[in-house]
Amino acid sequence: MKIAIVGGGPGGLYLAALMKQLDPAHEVTVWERNAPDVTFGFGVVFSDETLGGIENADAEFAAAMADRFARWTDIDIHVGGRTHTVGGQGFAAMSRRELLHLLQERCRDLGVDLRFGTPAPDTAALRAGHDLVVAADGVNSAVRQASPDAFRPTLDTRRNKYMWLGTDLVFEAFQFFIKQTEWGTMQVHGYPYSATGSTFIVEMHEDVWRRAGFDTGPDLPPGASDEPAVERIRALFADELDGHRLFANNSRWLNFTTVRNERWHDGGLVLLGDAAHTAHFSIGSGTKLAMEDALALAACLHEHPTLEDALTAYEAERRPVVESTQRAAQASLEWFENIGRYTGQEPVQFCFNLLTRSRRITYDNLRTRDPHFADRVDEAFAKAQGADSVVPAMFQPFRLGPLELKNRVIVSPMDMYSAVDGLPGDFHLVHLGSKAMGGAGLVMTEMVCVSPEGRITPGCTGLWNDGQRDAWQRIVSFAHANSTARMGLQLGHSGRKGSTRLMWEGMDEPLEQGNWDVVGPSELPYGPASATPRELTRTELDRITAEFVAAARRGAEAGFDLLELHCAHGYLLSSFLSPLANHRTDEYGGPLENRLRYPLEVFDAVRAAWPADRPVIVRISATDWAPDGNTEHDAVEIARAFIAHGADGIDVSTGQVTKDERPAYGRSYQTPYADRIRHEVAAVTGTAVIAVGAIASYDDVNSILMAGRADLCAIGRTHLYDPQWTLHAAAEQDYRGPAADWPLPYRAGSRKPPTSRTDAIRPRLTLLRAEDPDRAVHLRWTPPREPAPVS
């Protein structure tokens, strides 16, 4: 096979060496516009997984790398004048220059045609003369830019400014320096890469960068460093550098760009490394991803009979891994963009927040790595709650307005579509009763509709008559008599999403018969197949408000402990909030202030009708996940408005406002929206914030709570899988207390038996740690061995 590789960075060179190893008959040419001794940056970081793949593919090259590695297991976080050390992490890094020299030498030994200082021919010429063309030419790939229709790239340029520098201060561990300045928060990511140097990345929000005057720097020619800025950084971080030098190498202010492509290959042309994808430097190295790409691409080319099969397999194998990494990287970069939001946290909580920012490290994971630091996190959280003892965060009690909850787990509202004429029956008694007996602090009903026309489907429950009130009272009374859970009522109106089939018969599809008119703020259907709503008149708005009030009064009579007003997911009140559904030209449409008017009118009326000693909370969609829809910035203002009107809590969900939405699904993917609302609005007023969405484990719950991202967690589908999920979570965590109070008939099963020898001996290991905590030794930085000569 005749292979052209554009780009002589680590990914391109490593692929060239692998292909020649697999078959010396391959003709492999690498074009690199820079000279062989030109490299930008300082150190590169590798994971153990990547190193294992390299060792399996080329033991000789892996051994040469290992001779040059700096390894360490600690992270030092410098914040608030103190250093907090967290062990058990495990990193390896080396000089980027040495890595490139090793790869160049390996390629020469294997017979790769290396053409340094030579721009590659244009893509058409390369494709005409080669079986395979590999674009490994980085984030600004000229090859990718020449074929935008083939790859359909998106480039997301972020808000933070950063500069890549080096220092002769050899750090003993990975360093985060969090520095408060008169202009705002600045941070340094630092790590050793050799016995003589460390990487020193300075980062700050663009607003901080401007306030500090860094935006007045000189225009720089290619390859030049911003020396005035470097000199200022030397002065700003003089204490951190401790008299050591700071080096520049094409060091200038940059904005990180996240690169994504809808396709990675087109015929015999394929993208690799940063040309295909990027992930923020705060969670890992682009070099790491590029070399993993090279390993996968070489293996697929070797294993598959045709080029198209090989490239399809390569993309299928790598894309899920890369997308997972990019999701974590997105969470991490957004955390650092908003770092100023968290600097007021207690230092140990701040450190935990930083460590868990990408959602890849969790509380349990951290406890495995460094149990002593995890103990500090436990103690700090308990102290912040005013608790007498340390228990798992999810089992710390919480006061939601005037309501005491025994723990911080909520059974999220979930539509069951199993009512007849709005009447909840035995199904709902068993469904909600089992959840109440399952240990959660608060159990929410499904959306209970305020009128027959306000139902989503014929199977939805209601509270528009006294018979329904009495049926709900039976369920609430059972929960109160047989558990210590509190019961919450979610009230809503379907709006333009009404008159549809049961979920399992076709979600959001109109009924085949028996339809009723649907209504909304404007005559805009939810989706292409949805019915067009009638625009509501002033008289109809008043009538619907009265229906909400009547339903709230019946809910109070039924004994519910809490009411949640449903202003999310594209139902009636949500559709007033969203500019995608609300095109009115009267006082209820236009700017957000007007779009909020009717939902706030309903809230005020419901709050007045609901008992003052019981809380009212609001569920919102914090983003519409669609162009021109509501964003997280709007969500902050929406939350602020409801809190100003007396909401005791904000339940932060997202989306379901339009069929055109494109959610960024992933682990706890909605939590960042709750996090922002909590820190920017709710913390000031003491209003509770509830996180919801893809929270599937008690470890997720504890991690969210201890980082301060939310006060409570609402969990839905997991409770369908296991109605006793909260009780089982208590048993798994060895917690036996009032926040996880097993019903008397069930207590014989409340202790989890050991399932393995490891589980059986764990209590003894815990005891040993308590007896002799000094047995836990934190390994710090290990200098690399004397490097082999590099040509």
Side-chain angles (χ1 to χ4, degrees), residues 356-373:
T356 59
R357 66 194 182 278
S358 73
R359 304 193 284 277
R360 285 193 160 185
I361 294 178
T362 63
Y363 171 79
D364 276 2
N365 186 266
L366 181 65
R367 175 160 287 284
T368 299
R369 297 171 186 228
D370 189 338
H372 298 291
F373 185 78

Side-chain angles (χ1 to χ4, degrees), residues 418-760:
S418 299
V420 177
D421 295 329
L423 194 72
D426 289 347
F427 173 88
H428 299 85
L429 175 66
V430 174
H431 165 60
L432 294 171
S434 66
K435 307 304 180 294
M437 294 172 66
L442 176 64
V443 177
M444 295 297 304
T445 67
E446 61 194 87
M447 185 176 92
V448 177
C449 305
V450 298
S451 67
E453 299 78 20
R455 290 175 297 166
I456 310 164
T457 75
C460 290
T461 58
L463 255 176
W464 62 80
N465 63 47
D466 291 347
Q468 294 160 351
R469 176 202 61 195
D470 296 343
W472 281 118
Q473 186 175 39
R474 172 178 175 238
I475 294 168
V476 173
S477 297
F478 174 89
H480 285 163
N482 292 278
S483 77
T484 52
R486 303 298 188 180
M487 297 298 292
L489 166 68
Q490 186 187 68
L491 276 187
H493 186 296
S494 61
R496 66 178 187 162
K497 293 178 74 175
S499 191
T500 61
R501 304 178 196 179
L502 304 182
M503 180 179 66
W504 46 87
E505 294 175 351
M507 189 170 180
D508 296 324
E509 294 182 21
L511 291 169
E512 294 180 327
Q513 57 185 5
N515 298 86
W516 56 87
D517 288 342
V518 295
V519 295
S522 304
E523 294 183 353
L524 297 168
Y526 172 62
S530 303
T532 299
R534 185 182 73 256
E535 182 173 311
L536 287 162
T537 65
R538 172 72 265 180
T539 300
E540 289 173 313
L541 291 176
D542 291 340
R543 175 177 54 77
I544 291 173
T545 301
E547 290 170 347
F548 269 97
V549 168
R553 287 181 176 142
R554 289 191 180 97
E557 292 166 1
F560 283 104
D561 304 293
L562 170 148
L563 185 147
E564 177 173 88
L565 189 64
H566 201 340
C567 297
H569 299 170
Y571 299 119
L572 181 64
L573 300 182
S574 170
S575 63
F576 267 89
L577 292 171
S578 174
L580 299 177
N582 183 349
H583 289 187
R584 296 175 77 101
T585 57
D586 62 5
E587 68 271 30
Y588 294 107
L592 180 58
E593 179 184 3
N594 287 3
R595 302 198 309 272
L596 268 161
R597 185 168 278 118
Y598 184 62
L600 288 173
E601 285 180 7
V602 174
F603 177 87
D604 290 342
V606 166
R607 176 67 273 187
W610 187 253
D613 61 348
R614 301 185 214 176
V616 177
I617 65 176
V618 179
R619 173 169 278 202
I620 66 171
S621 285
T623 174
D624 291 348
W625 296 116
D628 303 319
N630 280 333
T631 68
E632 61 182 295
H633 309 293
D634 300 308
V636 169
E637 298 309 313
I638 291 169
R640 195 188 309 277
F642 279 112
I643 291 171
H645 280 246
D648 295 290
I650 304 295
D651 187 357
V652 187
S653 187
T654 65
Q656 302 180 51
V657 173
T658 172
K659 278 288 189 180
D660 296 329
E661 68 175 13
R662 299 192 66 179
Y665 291 120
R667 183 179 191 174
S668 306
Y669 72 105
Q670 296 179 157
T671 300
Y673 300 96
D675 186 1
R676 178 172 181 183
I677 288 169
R678 185 174 190 270
H679 280 89
E680 293 192 16
V681 185
V684 178
T685 59
T687 307
V689 171
I690 302 166
V692 61
I695 303 171
S697 70
Y698 64 76
D699 189 23
D700 288 339
V701 174
N702 288 331
S703 299
I704 289 166
L705 297 174
M706 298 178 92
R709 297 179 183 122
D711 300 293
L712 301 141
C713 289
I715 299 167
R717 295 178 186 180
T718 302
H719 276 114
L720 297 181
Y721 178 77
D722 180 3
Q724 282 77 42
W725 179 83
T726 305
L727 296 179
H728 294 159
E732 292 283 348
Q733 296 172 87
D734 238 357
Y735 170 74
R736 296 171 65 84
D741 191 18
W742 286 68
L744 286 172
Y746 289 1
R747 286 190 182 175
S750 65
R751 186 179 294 277
K752 176 177 174 281
T755 56
S756 68
R757 180 174 174 80
T758 302
D759 285 341

Side-chain angles (χ1 to χ4, degrees), residues 159 185 334-335 337-345 632 672 675-680:
R159 299 194 298 268
T185 306
E334 289 177 2
W335 193 91
E337 286 176 345
N338 298 299
I339 192 171
R341 182 185 298 165
Y342 308 113
T343 52
Q345 287 186 315
E632 61 182 295
D675 186 1
R676 178 172 181 183
I677 288 169
R678 185 174 190 270
H679 280 89
E680 293 192 16

